[in-house]
């Protein structure tokens, strides 16, 4: 059994309400573990868990995977997700801080997070060249070109 999820106040906003609803769907499905849900989707257990964490609105793809793994209707849930996104967009900017941050902590990035990656084409090209030109390459978070 995994660790218990943190409580979420559905009155805190549209993201939190949507997360509570996702958790309720999972409970109605018999409470499958995120690991078992991940085996039926292209997403990791951590990504599925984050979808229902109430910190940010999950992508359409992640929501569809979560709902499908719980036996729900993905089209109905996409309408719910879009309604939550509309409510979120209508909030004053300071209430949207969690949505704006691309930082994911130590959790891995998923395909639904692709929108936060841009402007790094040259860095990727430099790293690719470095790896192809050396048997061993260490990446430390600061670009150092090997001559």
């Amino acid at each position: 059994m995994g660790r218990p999820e943190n409580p979420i106040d559905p009155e805190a906003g549209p993201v939190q309400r949507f997360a509570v609803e996702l958790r309720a769907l999972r409970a109605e499905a018999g409470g499958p573990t995120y690991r078992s849900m991940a085996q039926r989707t292209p997403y990791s257990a951590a990504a599925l868990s984050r979808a229902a964490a109430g910190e940010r609105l999950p992508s359409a793809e992640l929501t569809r995977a979560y709902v499908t793994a719980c036996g729900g209707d993905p089209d109905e849930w996409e309408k719910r997700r879009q309604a939550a996104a509309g409510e979120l967009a209508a909030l004053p900017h300071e209430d949207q801080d969690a949505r704006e941050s691309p930082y994911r902590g130590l959790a891995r990035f998923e395909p639904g997070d692709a929108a936060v990656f841009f402007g790094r084409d040259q860095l990727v090209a430099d790293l690719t060249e470095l790896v192809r030109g050396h048997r061993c390459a260490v990446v430390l978070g600061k670009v150092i070109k090997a001559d």
Side-chain angles (χ1 to χ4, degrees), residues 25-26 28-29 63-77:
L25 174 68
R26 183 170 160 245
E28 290 170 14
T63 301
R64 179 172 287 278
Y66 188 106
V67 169
T68 301
C70 292
D73 179 0
D75 294 330
E76 173 194 332
W77 280 86

Side-chain angles (χ1 to χ4, degrees), residues 41-127:
T41 72
Y43 290 92
S44 69
L48 293 165
S49 174
R50 279 193 315 272
E55 295 173 1
R56 65 186 284 246
L57 193 63
S59 68
E61 297 84 8
L62 180 54
T63 301
R64 179 172 287 278
Y66 188 106
V67 169
T68 301
C70 292
D73 179 0
D75 294 330
E76 173 194 332
W77 280 86
E78 177 53 19
K79 290 176 187 171
R80 289 184 183 199
R81 193 192 71 76
Q82 288 177 357
E87 288 180 55
L88 185 61
L91 292 175
H93 184 68
E94 59 271 3
D95 291 341
Q96 297 181 25
D97 287 342
R99 185 182 72 140
E100 299 294 328
S101 174
Y103 180 66
R104 305 287 186 264
L106 296 177
R108 76 181 196 189
F109 284 83
E110 298 292 337
D113 298 321
V116 299
F117 289 101
F118 55 89
R120 296 192 174 132
D121 294 335
Q122 187 58 52
L123 290 173
V124 171
D126 291 346
L127 181 58

